[in-house]
Amino acid sequence: MIFIVNYLKVLVNNMCGFVGFISKEKKKKAIIKKMAERIHHRGPDGEGFYTDDNIALGHRRLSIIDVKNGRQPMFNEDKSLVVVFNGEIYNYQELKAELIHHDFKTNCDTEILLHGYEEWGVDLPKKLRGMFSFVLWDKKEEKMFCARDPFGIKPFYYYQKEDTLLFASEIKSFLEHPSFEKELNEKLIPSYLSFSFTPTTETFFKGVNRLDAGHYLLYQEGNITIERYFNLDFTEETDSYENCVNRIAEIMEDSVKHHQISDVEVGSFLSSGIDSSYIVTLAKPDKTYTVGYDIPKYNEIDYAKDLTKRLKIKNKSKKITKEEYLKIIPDIMYYMDEPSSDPASIALYFVSKLASKDVKVVLSGEGADELFGGYNTYRSYIELPWYNKIPFFLRHAIASFCKLFPEVRGINFLIRRGEKLEDNYIGVNRV
C-alpha cells in the first residue's frame, strides 16, 4: 500500500514542444524553423529559437503559466544557460522560495529549471514535482543536460549520427534535418506484437531512441551519458485500512490542488470511471468533457451527466460514430509517431478535440484500476486464493488442457492461473 500512497497521481493534459540539434551545420536557423513547424500543433501560442556555433533550439508554446513572460528559449541572468521545456512543475512556487537568492525575471515554472540547475546541477530532476521534459544548454562548458519526468508523461526522443545529435518532443520533426535517415526498425515488430507496445527505448524509426522515464541525459564532446535519477520504492509497509484511506484522500486532495495551478482555465475529462469521477468531485471544474458511442454498453455519457448534475457543473459530450472512428485513425497515428494498440487513444483524440474549443488544460484520471486492482482479472487473487495453493505443475497441466477449448468465462481463469507471470502477461496481449 505504501507504493500506492506515495505515487498516486493526477494527470494534466496540455501541450508544448521543443526541437533541437547539435552539429556544425551552417544553416541552423532555416532547419530549426522547419523542425519546429512540424510540431506546430503542440504549441499554437508562440514560437522561439536560439542558435550558436554548436546548437540550435526551437520551441512551440501553449501558454499556461505567466502567459506574457514565459517565452522560450529562456536564459539565466548572464545568458550562459538556455533552456527549452515541455511540461509543468507543480512545486515551482516552493522551489522558488528555496532559490530566493537568485534573480527571477518571471513568474514562470520554466525559470526554475535554470536557477535550479545552477544550484543543484544534475540533481535538479530529483527536486521537481510534475511532468516534464527539458533541454538545458551550458554555453561555457558546451554541455547539454536533458531530463524526463519519473513516469515518462512528457516525451523525449533523440537520434545520433556521427557528430550530429537530434532531439525533440516528436520524432516527425527529425524529418526536416538533412542528417536524418528515415528507416523502419523491423526488429522491433515481434516485441510490439508480443507486448502491444515497444518494451525498450528503441522506436520504430531505426536509430531513434526515447529517453527512458526517470532518467537524465548528458551530452558533451560527442558523448552521450544516461543515468537513472528516480527509482520506485517497493518496500512493503503495513497499515490499517482506515489510515490508508485517509492518507490516499489527503494525497489526492493535495495533488488535485497542485494540478490546478494555472493562469488559464482548467477543465476535466470525465468518464464513468472512479478515477476521473473522483478527481472531478475534488476539483469541481466549471467544465467537463465526455465522449461515448451509439452502443449503450460502451456509452458513458449518462453516468457523466448524472455526476455533473449532482455537482452543479457543466458537461459537454459527443457520441463518436463508426465512420468518424475509422476515418480518424491515420491522423492519430501521425500525431503519435508510432503504432498504438490501445483503442483508448481514439476516444482521447475526440474528447481532446471537444475540450480544446473551450480550454487549454484538462485534468484526467489514469491508472486507478491498475493501482487498486479494479479489473476483474485481479479479483481472483482475493476471491479464489485457494487455487493458487495447488502445485504449479498441476495448474500448468490444467491450463494446457483448457487452451484446447474456446475462450469463455472460467476457462480463462484456469489458463491464467496455470502460467508463469511473464507468460500470462504476454498471453493477455496475444493476437
Side-chain angles (χ1 to χ4, degrees):
M1 180 58 74
I2 190 67
F3 162 72
I4 296 173
V5 171
N6 279 349
Y7 299 109
L8 190 63
K9 298 292 178 184
V10 180
L11 289 183
V12 169
N13 290 273
N14 60 35
M15 283 281 198
C16 276
F18 59 78
V19 295
F21 61 90
I22 294 177
S23 78
K24 297 301 180 182
E25 169 67 49
K26 299 297 183 183
K27 300 179 181 179
K28 286 187 174 69
K29 290 184 180 180
I31 295 172
I32 198 67
K33 285 188 176 183
K34 288 182 180 179
M35 290 176 68
E37 186 59 30
R38 276 276 187 172
I39 60 167
H40 178 277
H41 52 273
R42 295 188 72 92
D45 291 341
E47 63 179 10
F49 303 96
Y50 169 80
T51 61
D52 62 26
D53 291 340
N54 297 297
I55 195 170
L57 297 171
H59 187 263
R60 296 295 320 190
R61 189 182 185 212
L62 185 72
S63 306
I64 306 297
I65 295 175
D66 198 352
V67 175
K68 293 183 179 179
N69 301 312
R71 185 178 177 183
Q72 299 182 43
M74 188 175 288
F75 303 85
N76 65 341
E77 299 97 324
D78 65 0
K79 296 189 181 296
S80 62
L81 292 176
V82 57
V83 67
V84 286
F85 162 57
N86 169 214
E88 279 196 76
I89 309 301
Y90 300 121
N91 63 336
Y92 81 97
Q93 293 172 334
E94 294 96 314
L95 293 177
K96 190 173 182 178
E98 289 187 45
L99 300 165
I100 194 68
H101 53 287
H102 288 269
D103 183 18
F104 281 85
K105 302 295 185 183
T106 73
N107 190 39
C108 188
D109 54 349
T110 306
E111 197 171 2
I112 288 292
L113 302 176
L114 293 164
H115 300 314
Y117 181 73
E118 290 174 318
E119 192 77 17
W120 303 304
V122 297
D123 287 331
L124 167 64
K126 297 178 183 179
K127 294 275 192 175
L128 305 177
R129 175 182 180 181
M131 53 178 186
F132 55 84
S133 180
F134 64 81
V135 176
L136 268 160
W137 174 246
D138 186 328
K139 297 185 195 179
K140 292 179 180 178
E141 297 190 22
E142 295 186 355
K143 178 173 66 176
M144 186 174 74
F145 176 64
C146 317
R148 194 172 177 211
D149 64 76
F151 290 93
I153 299 171
K154 290 301 180 182
F156 185 101
Y157 298 98
Y158 64 96
Y159 173 88
Q160 187 175 24
K161 182 183 178 185
E162 298 173 351
D163 61 349
T164 298
L165 177 71
L166 312 181
F167 47 89
S169 299
E170 294 188 17
I171 302 172
K172 62 177 66 66
S173 65
F174 295 165
L175 298 172
E176 300 294 347
H177 197 283
S179 293
F180 181 66
E181 295 182 21
K182 186 177 70 171
E183 187 177 353
L184 176 64
N185 185 4
E186 294 184 3
K187 71 175 185 178
L188 204 57
I189 295 174
S191 296
Y192 173 78
L193 292 178
S194 295
F195 293 98
S196 296
F197 66 95
T198 51
T200 69
T201 59
E202 292 181 81
T203 71
F204 272 98
F205 290 83
K206 194 171 184 179
V208 176
N209 284 270
R210 64 178 63 82
L211 180 62
D212 220 348
H215 285 68
Y216 69 75
L217 180 152
L218 283 168
Y219 182 86
Q220 192 171 29
E221 296 180 350
N223 298 313
I224 292 178
T225 302
I226 296 175
E227 298 285 346
R228 175 188 289 273
Y229 70 85
F230 175 81
N231 285 288
L232 288 175
D233 180 11
F234 288 98
T235 304
E236 186 174 355
E237 181 180 312
T238 57
D239 202 346
S240 69
Y241 177 81
E242 290 75 15
N243 285 344
C244 287
V245 169
N246 291 334
R247 289 172 70 188
I248 291 169
E250 290 172 1
I251 289 172
M252 283 298 296
E253 289 175 8
D254 179 70
S255 186
V256 169
K257 179 182 177 181
H258 275 79
H259 281 70
Q260 288 182 288
I261 296 173
S262 173
D263 291 336
V264 297
E265 183 180 5
V266 178
S268 184
F269 294 154
L270 178 61
S271 68
S272 65
I274 292 174
D275 42 15
S276 64
S277 299
Y278 186 14
I279 290 168
V280 166
T281 302
L282 290 174
K284 292 185 175 64
D286 183 55
K287 300 181 180 72
T288 63
Y289 304 90
T290 308
V291 293
Y293 303 95
D294 288 327
I295 306 171
K297 181 180 178 181
Y298 300 109
N299 185 28
E300 304 179 13
I301 292 176
D302 290 342
Y303 294 101
K305 295 285 187 187
D306 180 63
L307 177 62
T308 53
K309 184 178 179 180
R310 292 169 185 263
L311 296 175
K312 298 180 180 180
I313 58 179
K314 300 171 186 175
N315 178 259
K316 288 188 176 182
S317 62
K318 171 185 170 55
K319 284 187 178 181
I320 306 169
T321 67
K322 178 181 177 181
E323 291 73 23
E324 288 177 316
Y325 189 99
L326 295 174
K327 182 180 179 180
I328 206 63
I329 291 176
D331 289 345
I332 292 173
M333 291 302 102
Y334 172 79
Y335 288 122
M336 296 185 72
D337 281 338
E338 292 192 275
S340 173
S341 65
D342 187 356
S345 62
I346 299 175
L348 185 60
Y349 171 88
F350 281 102
V351 74
S352 298
K353 188 174 182 180
L354 181 66
S356 68
K357 298 175 182 178
D358 302 322
V359 296
K360 291 183 178 180
V361 184
V362 286
L363 302 174
S364 176
E366 303 287 347
D369 287 312
E370 287 79 6
L371 286 173
F372 296 101
Y375 294 120
N376 290 332
T377 53
Y378 301 145
R379 298 190 61 82
S380 61
Y381 289 100
I382 300 171
E383 296 176 344
L384 298 167
W386 60 268
Y387 191 80
N388 290 322
K389 296 178 181 179
I390 297 174
F392 177 76
F393 77 92
L394 289 176
R395 287 186 282 124
H396 184 63
I398 293 170
S400 299
F401 178 72
C402 289
K403 288 180 181 179
L404 300 174
F405 297 93
E407 294 185 25
V408 294
R409 188 179 181 88
I411 290 286
N412 290 339
F413 164 77
L414 295 173
I415 294 174
R416 288 195 302 271
R417 295 286 76 83
E419 293 181 332
K420 294 179 180 179
L421 181 62
E422 60 268 28
D423 295 330
N424 178 26
Y425 177 79
I426 293 177
V428 170
N429 296 286
R430 64 187 177 278
V431 179

